[in-house]
Amino acid sequence: MDHPLRAWRDTLEELGVMGLVREPLPPSPAPEPRLEPARPAAPPRPVAPSRPVAPAPRSAAAYVPPSDPVGCPPPDVVAGAASLGELEQAIRGCLACPLGPCRIKFVFGEGDPGARLMFVGEGPGRDEDLQGRPFVGRAGELLDKMIGAIGLKRTEVYIGNVVKCRPPDNRTPTPDEARACLGYLRRQIELIQPAVIVTLGATPLRELVGVTEGITRVRGQWKRVVVGGREIPVMPTFHPAYVLRQYTQDVRRAVWADLKAAKEWVDKAAGA
Ligand code: URA
């Protein structure tokens, strides 16, 4: 039988943190591939587009959003949503920016509605667009491992994004697209009331927190955001897709340090 600490040790090793493992583990029966999916692969779900995929508008300037409350949910409806479920119902038909008509699935976000720790990414990629869930591709597998490395499960945190619909070719959302969606993210945060937010990459840091400095410079430095009159500490770190591209020990150590600091703050806030 596999040693119970092996998965934990492998995750730490992947994050470049071997100094914490004091006891040598018994030899492994078979070496595991380093970037194996964190969870067993789910059976493929039927992929049913929520609406026929409309051609992308030629330019953002040409896009005219609808004025009905389904296609363009009014701010008072968003602000009045009393739960994440109500909010999702109110905004899942959103066509307020040019990303809406191009999506396959709306990616609302998922996790514990009372999570103390919330992760905010940039926006759905191809896998997320197909499944309607955040961070389910390769970057998501690494995010799951990062969450596991601080002793939590994906279901114990909340994972959201700046934009809820996939930008074409996974490009960065434009400031207008981010602005059109930001009220939704802010209402999510108001409802969840996390103790700490970890922003993944430069986009959520810029659009949610208003910090425009390069992520390499500011990662690991506490920032704050005020949402619904509450000040929430924000820990900026690298996006998992960047970690996959730049798989160096320095980058993995940096992410580990950032997540450890975020978890320590969550624990401190819980004990206070
Ligand atoms: N990248 C993101 O920023 N968000 C996702 O949901 C997936 C990949």
Side-chain angles (χ1 to χ4, degrees):
M1 210 182 68
D2 210 358
H3 193 284
L5 284 178
R6 189 170 310 287
W8 172 245
R9 195 270 315 262
D10 289 348
T11 304
L12 290 177
E13 187 181 21
E14 194 139 77
L15 287 163
V17 190
M18 280 310 293
L20 295 182
V21 181
R22 293 208 182 103
E23 302 267 326
L25 296 174
S28 172
E32 287 178 16
R34 285 167 65 81
L35 279 177
E36 213 181 39
R39 291 163 290 132
R45 293 204 215 165
V47 174
S50 53
R51 63 178 70 246
V53 179
R58 267 173 297 138
S59 77
Y63 184 72
V64 180
S67 53
D68 65 280
V70 173
C72 211
D76 61 316
V77 171
V78 174
S83 66
L84 290 173
E86 252 185 52
L87 179 63
E88 183 172 6
Q89 270 313 109
I91 66 174
R92 59 179 303 135
C94 179
L95 297 170
C97 87
L99 301 182
C102 303
R103 71 171 170 255
I104 295 175
K105 289 205 172 159
F106 188 83
V107 182
F108 178 73
E110 68 180 25
D112 179 354
R116 310 305 295 137
L117 184 58
M118 178 169 181
F119 290 84
V120 179
E122 177 176 291
R126 189 182 66 101
D127 295 306
E128 292 76 21
D129 189 32
L130 289 170
Q131 295 190 39
R133 299 177 55 211
F135 282 98
V136 288
R138 282 189 74 221
E141 286 173 13
L142 182 57
L143 179 60
D144 289 350
K145 289 185 178 183
M146 287 158 53
I147 293 167
I150 50 169
L152 293 172
K153 296 195 207 74
R154 183 180 168 105
T155 49
E156 292 174 315
V157 303
Y158 197 91
I159 305 174
N161 277 309
V162 170
V163 293
K164 314 291 191 223
C165 304
R166 182 192 182 193
D169 302 321
N170 298 341
R171 64 160 170 73
T172 304
T174 66
D176 282 349
E177 290 160 357
R179 210 169 305 127
C181 225
L182 197 61
Y184 305 156
L185 176 62
R186 290 181 66 89
R187 185 65 190 144
Q188 277 175 305
I189 295 170
E190 272 175 21
L191 290 165
I192 295 163
Q193 302 211 350
V196 173
I197 294 174
V198 173
T199 50
L200 302 167
T203 304
L205 187 62
R206 183 179 62 246
E207 303 299 347
L208 175 65
V209 190
V211 172
T212 54
E213 283 170 270
I215 185 69
T216 311
R217 182 186 289 259
V218 293
R219 65 131 283 274
Q221 296 173 22
W222 284 106
K223 304 289 174 195
R224 67 191 60 156
V225 65
V226 177
V227 180
R230 242 183 104 238
E231 190 175 272
I232 305 171
V234 173
M235 174 50 67
T237 196
F238 292 126
H239 192 286
Y242 173 82
V243 181
L244 286 173
R245 281 198 307 275
Q246 207 62 38
Y247 205 69
T248 65
Q249 198 170 62
D250 280 355
V251 167
R252 284 178 279 147
R253 276 190 201 280
V255 171
W256 165 249
D258 301 344
L259 295 187
K260 205 153 71 81
K263 176 64 163 55
E264 276 166 16
W265 192 266
V266 167
D267 291 344
K268 209 163 105 185

